[in-house]
Amino acid sequence: MTCDNHLPMQIEVIEGRHRAIGFGLLYSTDWGPGASFEWEHRNLNGMGEKLSFNIGVWQALQKANIRYVLPGFLHPSQDFLWIIQALHDQTKGYHEQSISMSALIEKQVDSRLRISYGLMEKNLRDTKAEKDGTYNLLKTPLYLHYKDVNNIIDPTLGTTVHLRTIPSWNYTREQSFYTINTLTMTFYWPLLCNDMVVLAGKANFGTIIGGEEGIPTSEKFFEGSDNSMRGFRFLTVSP
């Protein structure tokens, strides 16, 4: 022990593995049996760049996602994201086939607030819907995530706010412009001093601003399932 009551310490750091792979067998009451596969490289070019790929296949849903993250883009607290998504979804209200490409900037403003914004190009085809059609959409999504909780993994006190605003331009066929807005809020309040009983609540709000005729069916709000309207099957309550 030194004279200033500090203990000398020696720390040995070993770099983690760059690559990871995973797979699983799944079952969902909404989508049926399925399987998933994912692969990730956490240090693609030696500067913390992350490239990931995941695919999920269910009886009624098939989706694939490629995601590239460049950390410290123009600022230490800012990341650049490049995302490609493909989706084939069969619901009671519509069948959707889509592919999209997104370029986003995600910024950690402070310890509680994170925002992201950018551009998205989406090719969408709806069938077995109230209005079938093929759409080319240009979007400028904006996301805001605010968390003020005492524990991110297991919160017992605090609130969270998630705001999503997506202006969308349908530039094929009958051109139209609309904006999808959703707001999700949660709160946690302990009822006992030892946090064994916690009152938790969640509220969802949504609205679409724009001409209804040019909005694809799969872009509208549907309800159903225990996450939105309990007692109704998944996405069976019309928009």
Side-chain angles (χ1 to χ4, degrees):
M1 182 177 294
T2 60
C3 296
D4 56 0
N5 295 325
H6 290 171
L7 289 174
M9 299 181 64
Q10 182 177 356
I11 300 175
E12 182 178 355
V13 179
I14 301 176
E15 186 176 8
R17 295 184 178 182
H18 294 174
R19 299 174 181 84
I21 188 172
F23 59 91
L25 298 176
L26 313 167
Y27 181 80
S28 168
T29 55
D30 295 331
W31 300 317
S36 66
F37 171 82
E38 59 183 20
W39 174 89
E40 182 180 70
H41 195 309
R42 302 188 183 96
N43 196 21
L44 188 63
N45 294 316
M47 296 296 291
E49 303 92 339
K50 182 184 294 185
L51 177 65
S52 60
F53 169 78
N54 63 74
I55 184 171
V57 178
W58 288 264
Q59 184 176 352
L61 172 68
Q62 300 85 45
K63 61 180 181 178
N65 185 306
I66 300 175
R67 182 184 179 99
Y68 174 75
V69 180
L70 177 62
F73 180 71
L74 301 179
H75 192 275
S77 62
Q78 185 170 266
D79 299 338
F80 176 79
L81 288 75
W82 182 263
I83 305 171
I84 300 176
Q85 295 176 309
L87 175 69
H88 180 218
D89 193 8
Q90 302 179 45
T91 73
K92 295 291 184 180
Y94 58 84
H95 288 188
E96 173 190 354
Q97 290 180 318
S98 65
I99 184 168
S100 65
M101 293 183 292
S102 304
L104 302 173
I105 291 178
E106 187 173 89
K107 183 177 180 60
Q108 190 72 38
V109 180
D110 54 35
S111 59
R112 297 183 179 92
L113 179 62
R114 186 174 79 253
I115 62 173
S116 58
Y117 54 92
L119 291 173
M120 175 191 291
E121 167 73 22
K122 184 176 183 179
N123 180 267
L124 170 65
R125 181 170 182 263
D126 282 345
T127 57
K128 298 186 178 181
E130 62 176 357
K131 184 179 180 181
D132 294 349
T134 300
Y135 306 86
N136 287 330
L137 305 171
L138 182 63
K139 298 173 176 285
T140 55
L142 171 64
Y143 306 100
L144 182 148
H145 306 274
Y146 177 81
K147 287 186 178 182
D148 185 13
V149 292
N150 60 345
N151 189 309
I152 296 178
I153 299 176
D154 185 21
T156 59
L157 177 65
T159 58
T160 69
V161 178
H162 302 280
L163 174 65
R164 183 182 69 166
T165 299
I166 308 179
S168 305
W169 177 37
N170 173 21
Y171 61 89
T172 53
R173 299 175 58 188
E174 48 190 42
Q175 297 190 21
S176 62
F177 182 84
Y178 58 94
T179 302
I180 304 173
N181 306 284
T182 58
L183 175 65
T184 302
M185 305 174 65
T186 64
F187 73 89
Y188 306 89
W189 186 264
L191 299 181
L192 298 178
C193 296
N194 57 5
D195 292 346
M196 291 295 294
V197 179
V198 178
L199 177 65
K202 179 179 180 181
N204 289 311
F205 304 92
T207 182
I208 300 179
I209 302 173
E212 183 178 353
E213 289 299 322
I215 303 175
T217 301
S218 57
E219 295 264 285
K220 297 179 180 180
F221 292 121
F222 281 75
E223 298 292 339
S225 80
D226 56 352
N227 290 324
S228 60
M229 187 176 289
R230 191 179 298 272
F232 294 86
R233 292 185 60 187
F234 183 60
L235 301 188
T236 55
V237 182
S238 61

